[in-house]
């Protein structure tokens, strides 16, 4: 008889599950921290902003404009740069700080997607969507 249950002692399965579990745990912790850092009504907007970033990368994986977020951009300032937890979420997704020269020789700080892992991005997207739905349910009550 064939069973669809996974063998918990399977080393290959464990090798995959461990990083996923760590990633999800860190992401949930960062989202919870973000909710405590921002005003309740703003939390949903910030989470939606992260969804848009992830979705842009999914839709256009070859476009560098979606893989580089200028920290001087007012939208990045408002939704990410001012919050430690938001920066942690971006880091988990794969964005890391990078300093480069702009077109006129001035230094510019950006968050650059250096690890484009569709699996982790999909997990982040799902977690963010769940938090948004839960947040809406809590706000309605």
């Amino acid at each position: 008889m064939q069973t669809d249950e996974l063998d918990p002692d399977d080393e290959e399965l464990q090798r995959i599950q461990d990083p996923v579990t760590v990633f999800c745990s860190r992401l949930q912790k960062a989202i919870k921290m973000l909710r405590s850092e921002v005003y309740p009504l703003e939390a949903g907007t910030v989470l939606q902003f992260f969804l848009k970033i992830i979705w842009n990368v999914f839709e256009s994986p070859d476009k560098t404009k979606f893989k580089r977020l200028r920290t001087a951009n007012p939208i990045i300032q408002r939704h990410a740069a001012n919050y430690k937890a938001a920066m942690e979420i971006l880091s988990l997704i794969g964005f890391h700080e990078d300093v480069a020269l702009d077109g006129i020789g001035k230094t510019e700080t950006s968050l650059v997607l250096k690890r484009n892992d569709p699996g982790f991005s999909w997990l982040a997207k799902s977690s963010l969507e769940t938090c948004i739905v839960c947040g809406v349910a809590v706000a309605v009550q």
Side-chain angles (χ1 to χ4, degrees):
M1 183 169 127
Q2 185 179 4
T3 179
D4 289 335
E5 290 186 34
L6 300 174
D7 179 7
D9 296 326
D10 182 344
E11 288 180 26
E12 181 69 16
L13 177 64
Q14 198 64 39
R15 189 175 62 77
I16 295 168
Q17 281 183 331
D18 288 346
V20 169
T21 301
V22 169
F23 174 83
C24 288
S25 175
R26 287 182 63 197
L27 182 62
Q28 291 302 320
K29 182 179 176 184
I31 291 170
K32 184 177 180 182
M33 198 168 86
L34 179 69
R35 287 189 176 277
S36 69
E37 281 185 316
V38 301
Y39 293 111
L41 295 176
E42 190 177 348
T45 304
V46 173
L47 295 174
Q48 288 282 356
F49 170 71
F50 289 128
L51 279 176
K52 182 176 181 177
I53 289 171
I54 293 169
W55 193 251
N56 285 343
V57 173
F58 275 140
E59 288 287 303
S60 305
D62 297 329
K63 289 192 177 181
T64 56
K65 75 177 190 175
F66 296 130
K67 295 179 182 182
R68 180 175 292 277
L69 309 172
R70 289 185 310 94
T71 55
N73 181 316
I75 295 170
I76 302 298
Q77 285 289 315
R78 185 172 48 250
H79 295 310
N82 292 327
Y83 305 113
K84 182 179 177 182
M87 296 302 287
E88 172 68 11
I89 291 168
L90 286 172
S91 174
L92 287 166
I93 294 169
F95 284 90
H96 297 281
E97 192 171 289
D98 184 47
V99 178
L101 294 176
D102 66 6
I104 57 173
K106 203 167 111 181
T107 59
E108 180 178 72
T109 304
S110 298
L111 299 169
V112 179
L113 185 63
K114 294 189 177 184
R115 184 196 74 231
N116 188 6
D117 185 322
F120 283 132
S121 295
W122 194 261
L123 286 170
K125 178 185 163 298
S126 297
S127 294
L128 291 167
E129 288 172 337
T130 300
C131 288
I132 290 169
V133 170
C134 291
V136 169
V138 169
V140 171
Q141 292 177 352

